[in-house]
Amino acid sequence: MANEHISSTPRTRLPRHVAVIMDGNGRWAKQRHLPRFAGHRSGLESVRSMVKLCLHYRIEALTLFAFSSENWRRPKEEVGLLMNLFMTALDKEVGKLHKNGIRLRIVGDTDAFSPELQRRIADAESLTRDNTALTLAVAVNYGGRWDITEAARSLAAAVASGEIRPEDITPDALGERLALSELPEPDLFIRTGGEQRISNFLLWQLAYTELYFTPLLWPEFREAGFEAALDSFASRQRRFGKTGDQVEQEDA
Ligand code: IPE
Ligand code: IPE
Ligand code: MG
């Protein structure tokens, strides 16, 4: 694979976990007088670029928002095409992901999917479960509010069964029951397509994430777009409530 877009200067401050709202596929297609679906298909190439760069920089985790719990509101035809694209991509790419040492995780309310799709998801996850080069998490039928609600329900059940007491409910205890709790929280959030909103993505997990918005549409993001986002991330001072002076002293 050609690596002409990958910068040769070593990067110092890299995120461990990058979370992305891949937005703008429909507008990309519309600009070209193509059906919206052509944008979703072309967007897959940006997914491949990002995965390649994450491997190159040894980034631990990449989470991609592929279908939100609100996306069911789209025309039936588009929902069907998106589901098909997800299923085909899963089938087509899982071997390659496995060969590259990538662990695949699907997060979201998968109960809504056909038994066939649920089985394919489980197979892909179990095939790749021991891989360590990169965790690729794909959020499908995911909603941040759903995620927090599920965690709350699980805590309530644990209290009801006597396993824990109400006073054991802490931010950590709730966080442990959320999707992706096995990963570090996202360091960098990227949204393409120009919109500056979270759209019910990882609400809890993004509490201290650096946010990056770009007008680039998802199919045109590719390696160059990701490099620019990494540059922006590297230039930020993460203070986590402390003063800038404190952080500088710690870094010195
Ligand atoms: C993002 O692109 C992909 C999904 C939501 C599945 P859009 O389809 O939202 O593209 P725009 O926002 O209409 O351009
Ligand atoms: C968010 O994109 C969801 C995904 C990228 C999967 P949308 O395009 O659906 O977001 P809104 O509804 O415009 O905020
Ligand atoms: Mg959109």
Side-chain angles (χ1 to χ4, degrees):
M1 261 185 273
N3 278 2
E4 69 270 20
H5 296 294
I6 297 178
S7 97
S8 51
T9 40
R11 287 190 170 277
T12 43
R13 269 130 60 96
L14 278 165
R16 293 175 66 191
H17 181 180
V18 181
V20 188
I21 297 187
M22 313 183 285
D23 197 17
N25 295 347
R27 280 163 284 165
W28 181 90
K30 199 166 180 184
Q31 283 174 359
R32 286 160 183 76
H33 308 286
L34 294 168
R36 292 179 56 84
F37 180 68
H40 298 314
R41 213 174 29 207
S42 174
L44 256 187
E45 206 44 57
S46 278
V47 172
R48 293 193 190 96
S49 302
M50 274 206 91
V51 168
K52 197 165 75 175
L53 265 194
C54 284
L55 288 171
H56 174 79
Y57 286 124
R58 300 182 200 286
I59 288 168
E60 286 174 42
L62 173 65
T63 299
L64 302 174
F65 204 6
F67 192 88
S68 76
S69 43
E70 288 72 35
N71 285 144
W72 297 106
R73 296 176 186 155
R74 294 193 177 198
K76 230 173 147 172
E77 193 201 347
E78 182 167 345
V79 170
L81 287 170
L82 279 168
M83 286 296 154
N84 269 335
L85 182 68
F86 173 59
M87 185 133 76
T88 326
L90 190 67
D91 278 354
K92 237 183 83 183
E93 307 287 330
V94 73
K96 236 188 306 174
L97 295 176
H98 187 45
K99 224 172 53 202
N100 283 292
I102 298 167
R103 183 172 78 110
L104 185 67
R105 290 273 288 112
I106 306 297
V107 293
D109 188 1
T110 49
D111 291 350
F113 297 154
S114 68
E116 169 66 8
L117 181 52
Q118 291 189 44
R119 194 181 54 75
R120 291 193 204 187
I121 289 172
D123 288 351
E125 286 189 327
S126 75
L127 174 73
T128 61
R129 72 183 322 143
D130 296 323
N131 293 336
T132 55
L134 169 72
T135 295
L136 174 62
V138 182
V140 275
N141 195 21
Y142 177 87
R145 287 178 176 173
W146 165 84
D147 198 359
I148 296 169
T149 307
E150 288 292 300
R153 185 178 298 154
S154 140
L155 286 169
V159 170
S161 71
E163 194 189 318
I164 61 168
R165 297 159 303 162
E167 31 314 358
D168 296 326
I169 298 180
T170 59
D172 281 349
L174 194 145
E176 279 165 18
R177 285 169 156 85
L178 291 171
L180 305 180
S181 61
E182 81 275 20
L183 299 176
E185 281 174 2
D187 302 292
L188 172 63
F189 161 95
I190 299 171
R191 183 173 186 143
T192 63
E195 247 60 80
Q196 304 197 3
R197 54 180 176 248
I198 304 288
S199 301
N200 199 16
F201 194 26
L202 304 159
L203 297 178
W204 177 285
Q205 297 89 332
L206 293 178
Y208 252 112
T209 305
E210 295 298 327
L211 306 180
Y212 179 83
F213 298 95
T214 169
L216 284 176
L217 304 173
W218 178 246
E220 60 196 21
F221 187 64
R222 309 281 158 107
E223 278 97 341
F226 190 25
E227 292 276 10
L230 290 174
D231 284 340
S232 168
F233 177 79
S235 74
R236 306 204 188 172
Q237 185 185 53
R238 303 187 75 193
R239 289 192 283 274
F240 298 100
K242 297 180 181 173
T243 67
D245 286 349
Q246 283 177 299
V247 174
E248 271 167 38
Q249 267 171 15
E250 284 168 4
D251 287 350

